[in-house]
Amino acid sequence: MIFTPGQVITRRYRRGDRCTWAQPMRVLADDDRGLLLWHPVGSDVARLVDADGRTQHDVTIDRMREPRLTVQTWTEYDILVLMPPAAAHSVWWFFRDGDFAGWYVNLETPCTRRPDGVDTSDQLLDIVVSPERRWEWKDTDEFEARIGHPLYLDRATAAAVRREGERLVELIEAGAYPFDGTHIDFRPDPAWPLLRLPAPPA
Ligand code: MG
């Protein structure tokens, strides 16, 4: 299934039989480099939040009380997201008020395509990269704590996620694609609207 530039699709994270995150995104390209998506500040994002206001950062999903996908407003950074074909990661470009503000590597399972979007499972570990290509791991404690949990990842998968991250770190340090300046001067068309989730966002 190939998406069409201009189409709005939903990027979802799944955990077990639940959707834990849903983000409407504008398709900019879908070609041999991957699926390139745009999500501006002010658009919808839905996160799983429980009756006590806790998210998956606070507790594992099985310990959330009456979790519900809750639509919120995306803040701080406009993002371009590249999901390379069959990759176990996505690369995000952050923009603040139009200026490039760094990258983010989200480690995730290779996506499944649906007619209205893409599904992946977030693998918890991330890499934050400054515009000068200084980088650091993010959420290592959460990642380590969930190894062995049946709804998250086993030891072998965790090792593969770390290896994938280390592979990306080599590209970051080398200034190699996609960390070679590609897209850092990206400017959205001012006519593009903010993005809303179809209801219900599941
Ligand atoms: Mg992540």
Side-chain angles (χ1 to χ4, degrees):
M1 185 183 318
I2 304 292
F3 298 115
T4 308
Q7 187 180 354
V8 177
I9 65 169
T10 304
R11 182 177 137 88
R12 294 183 193 80
Y13 294 153
R14 302 200 75 89
R15 177 79 49 205
D17 59 357
R18 276 190 179 278
C19 176
T20 62
W21 168 281
Q23 197 173 21
M25 306 198 80
R26 183 185 186 91
V27 175
L28 302 187
D30 190 12
D31 54 28
D32 54 3
R33 288 201 148 179
L35 181 58
L36 186 66
L37 303 168
W38 170 247
H39 185 85
V41 163
S43 296
D44 288 349
V45 58
R47 295 184 173 90
L48 202 65
V49 180
D50 83 357
D52 303 308
R54 299 181 302 181
T55 71
Q56 279 194 99
H57 285 301
D58 306 312
V59 288
T60 54
I61 193 167
D62 52 310
R63 294 181 57 205
M64 294 176 85
R65 192 166 68 85
E66 298 166 29
R68 283 196 323 126
L69 263 189
T70 304
V71 179
Q72 303 172 344
T73 300
W74 184 253
T75 59
E76 282 194 79
Y77 298 106
D78 300 320
I79 52 170
L80 266 184
V81 173
L82 177 68
M83 302 176 72
H89 70 272
S90 57
V91 177
W92 304 19
W93 284 253
F94 287 154
F95 297 89
R96 194 191 275 275
D97 302 323
D99 294 326
F100 176 64
W103 297 270
Y104 184 85
V105 175
N106 196 64
L107 295 160
E108 61 194 40
T109 58
C111 75
T112 304
R113 290 180 179 231
R114 305 199 324 194
D116 65 342
V118 288
D119 287 3
T120 177
S121 289
D122 183 61
Q123 298 284 38
L124 311 176
L125 190 61
D126 311 293
I127 307 168
V128 177
V129 190
S130 77
E132 298 76 32
R133 298 190 188 87
R134 285 190 301 272
W135 62 270
E136 57 183 41
W137 297 107
K138 178 171 173 285
D139 294 339
T140 47
D141 293 352
E142 188 181 324
F143 176 72
E144 297 291 341
R146 296 194 180 175
I147 296 172
H149 188 296
L151 286 171
Y152 291 83
L153 64 187
D154 60 22
R155 200 153 284 287
T157 304
V161 168
R162 222 177 240 293
R163 278 198 303 277
E164 177 75 349
E166 287 162 357
R167 192 176 70 79
L168 271 292
V169 164
E170 285 180 20
L171 299 179
I172 292 162
E173 292 186 338
Y177 177 81
F179 308 99
D180 59 353
T182 299
H183 298 317
I184 63 171
D185 55 357
F186 174 81
R187 292 287 183 275
D189 185 328
W192 290 348
L194 299 181
L195 303 173
R196 301 294 168 216
L197 283 165

